[in-house]
Amino acid sequence: MINFKSKIYVAGHRGLVGSAIVRKLNEKGYKNIVFREKNKLDLTDQVQVAKFLKKQKPDFVFIAAAKVGGIYSNKNFKADYITQNLQIQTNLIYSSYLAGVRNLIFLGSSCIYPRNSKQPIKEKYLLTGKLEETNDAYAVAKIAGIKMCESFNEQYKCNYKCLMPANTFGPNDNYDEKNSHFLPALILKSHRIKINNLRNITLWGNGKVKREFIHVDDLAEACVFFMKKKTDHSLINIGTGKDYTIDYYANTISKIILKKKIKIHYDRSKPNGVKRKVLDISLAKKYGWKPKLNLKKSIIKTYNSFLKEIKK
C-alpha cells in the first residue's frame, strides 16, 4: 500500500511531465521522493540503472523519462527515438522488477494508436492498424513498453500501469522551434509576434487537422490518482476528451497572448500528421478521474509560466 512515507522514484523529474509529478506529489504531502540528474544517472545504461534501483529500493516508480519532440524531430531522427526510448524504458521496467518494485506507472503517448483509428480512440484500438509514419519509431518504442508492463503483470503478478496522455503542455515545456510540439511552438511564435509588433504567423500544414491537449497539471493529478488506485486494466487513456482544429488553437492563443486577431499563413508543403486524434477517456472516468482545467485557463497558466522561464 502506497502512503505518505512510501519512497517514490520519478524518472525524468526535470522534464515537462516528471517535474509536474514531483510538484503534485509534494503538494499532496508525499515527501520521500527520489530522483537523479542526467549527469549522475544515465538511464540508457542498464548497469547504472540496475545498481541505482537495487540500492534505493523504491516502493513506487514513475517512468516519465523519454526522448520526445515534435514532427520535425520525430521524422528526421527516428533511429535516436526508437533506440533511446527502448533503452530507457527497458532498463527502468526490468531493473524495477529485479529491485522488488511491484508498483509502477509507465507514461506513453496517444501516438501509439493507429493513424486512421476510429474516434474517439479507445484503449482496445491499440495494434489494430498502421501507425502515423512521422512518429512511428517513437510509437513502436512506447508500444513495446506497454507490452513489457503487461507481460510482467501477467507473468510475475506485478502492478505496472500504463497511462497514455493526449498532447501535453505546461511549465518546463520545450520551446525549441524545430524540436517542440505544436502548442509550445505556437506560444513561442505568438510571443515573438507580440514583442516585435508583427501581424503574421506561419504554421505547418493546412490548419484543419484536429488535436486534443491536456495541461500537465491535470496529467500529474491523474498519475497520483492512479498511483493509489487498484485497477483491472493496465492501459488507461488520460486526456480531456475534447479536440479542436489547429486553426482554432492558433486563433485562441493569439487572442490570449496578443489580445488581437492576426493573419495566419499555412505552409501546405509541410506535414499535417493524422487528421484527427482525440482519446476516449471513459475508462479513466469509470475509475473516478476526470480533468479539471479548461483550455483557455490552461493556456493562460502556461503562458505565464513561459514568461517566468524566459526571464531566468
Side-chain angles (χ1 to χ4, degrees):
M1 179 67 69
I2 305 299
N3 55 51
F4 292 119
K5 293 182 180 179
S6 298
K7 181 183 282 189
I8 301 169
Y9 168 52
V10 181
H13 72 286
R14 296 295 294 272
L16 170 65
V17 178
S19 61
I21 292 172
V22 172
R23 287 196 307 273
K24 190 62 65 175
L25 287 168
N26 282 320
E27 178 187 309
K28 291 185 177 293
Y30 296 91
K31 302 300 180 184
N32 194 6
I33 307 168
V34 294
F35 37 76
R36 287 293 182 275
E37 304 293 339
K38 278 186 178 181
N39 60 353
K40 293 183 179 179
L41 177 62
D42 180 2
L43 295 178
T44 65
D45 187 313
Q46 185 179 25
V47 175
Q48 284 189 38
V49 175
K51 284 182 177 179
F52 170 76
L53 287 170
K54 185 178 180 181
K55 182 179 179 181
Q56 292 294 327
K57 294 189 180 303
D59 299 297
F60 198 99
V61 170
F62 282 104
I63 302 180
K67 178 175 176 58
V68 297
I71 290 180
Y72 175 87
S73 182
N74 268 278
K75 185 180 178 182
N76 291 283
F77 304 101
K78 290 190 175 187
D80 296 340
Y81 275 87
I82 194 165
T83 302
Q84 291 180 36
N85 282 302
L86 282 172
Q87 288 173 328
I88 290 168
Q89 64 200 38
T90 300
N91 292 343
L92 286 167
I93 295 168
Y94 184 51
S95 295
S96 290
Y97 166 73
L98 292 178
V101 179
R102 293 298 181 270
N103 296 285
L104 173 152
I105 282 180
F106 170 67
L107 285 144
S109 164
S110 59
C111 73
I112 61 166
Y113 294 111
R115 173 185 173 87
N116 296 316
S117 180
K118 293 179 182 178
Q119 304 289 326
I121 305 170
K122 297 179 182 291
E123 290 86 351
K124 67 180 181 180
Y125 297 163
L126 181 68
L127 295 175
T128 60
K130 189 176 180 180
L131 298 168
E132 162 60 31
E133 291 182 1
T134 55
N135 58 13
D136 56 0
Y138 175 78
V140 166
K142 288 298 178 180
I143 292 170
I146 293 166
K147 288 302 173 183
M148 191 172 182
C149 288
E150 289 179 351
S151 299
F152 273 84
N153 290 344
E154 184 179 338
Q155 186 173 344
Y156 296 116
K157 310 305 177 188
C158 294
N159 182 31
Y160 293 173
K161 304 182 190 95
C162 306
L163 301 187
M164 295 300 117
N167 295 298
T168 309
F169 68 103
N172 292 328
D173 211 334
N174 176 11
Y175 290 97
D176 179 82
E177 281 188 89
K178 286 189 174 182
N179 198 35
S180 66
H181 289 105
F182 165 72
L183 210 63
L186 185 54
I187 288 173
L188 175 63
K189 286 184 177 183
S190 297
H191 177 71
R192 286 179 174 171
I193 287 172
K194 180 179 182 178
I195 61 175
N196 292 304
N197 199 27
L198 303 175
R199 295 185 178 182
N200 302 308
I201 189 170
T202 300
L203 302 176
W204 283 19
N206 59 22
K208 295 179 181 179
V209 299
K210 300 182 81 175
R211 290 292 180 270
E212 173 188 15
F213 285 90
I214 183 171
H215 192 276
V216 74
D217 287 350
D218 264 341
L219 173 56
E221 184 75 41
C223 288
V224 177
F225 177 87
F226 283 104
M227 175 184 75
K228 301 180 292 181
K229 193 75 174 178
K230 183 174 175 60
T231 68
D232 296 321
H233 300 82
S234 57
L235 176 60
I236 302 171
N237 290 337
I238 303 297
T240 62
K242 299 176 182 178
D243 63 337
Y244 305 94
T245 64
I246 296 299
D247 193 61
Y248 176 86
Y249 286 115
N251 280 296
T252 300
I253 287 177
S254 66
K255 288 176 185 176
I256 290 172
I257 295 177
L258 306 172
K259 311 294 184 186
K260 63 181 180 181
K261 192 170 183 179
I262 59 170
K263 189 170 182 62
I264 303 171
H265 298 286
Y266 287 99
D267 184 351
R268 288 174 169 76
S269 67
K270 297 293 192 298
N272 271 310
V274 296
K275 290 182 179 179
R276 189 187 181 204
K277 190 166 63 172
V278 60
L279 295 175
D280 184 316
I281 59 170
S282 57
L283 182 58
K285 286 184 174 180
K286 181 180 176 182
Y287 282 117
W289 176 85
K290 62 180 180 179
K292 297 176 181 177
L293 298 170
N294 67 40
L295 179 63
K296 290 184 179 180
K297 287 182 179 178
S298 296
I299 291 172
I300 292 169
K301 191 173 183 181
T302 301
Y303 183 58
N304 288 335
S305 68
F306 165 79
L307 293 175
K308 291 178 182 178
E309 286 173 36
I310 62 175
K311 288 178 181 178
K312 291 179 181 178

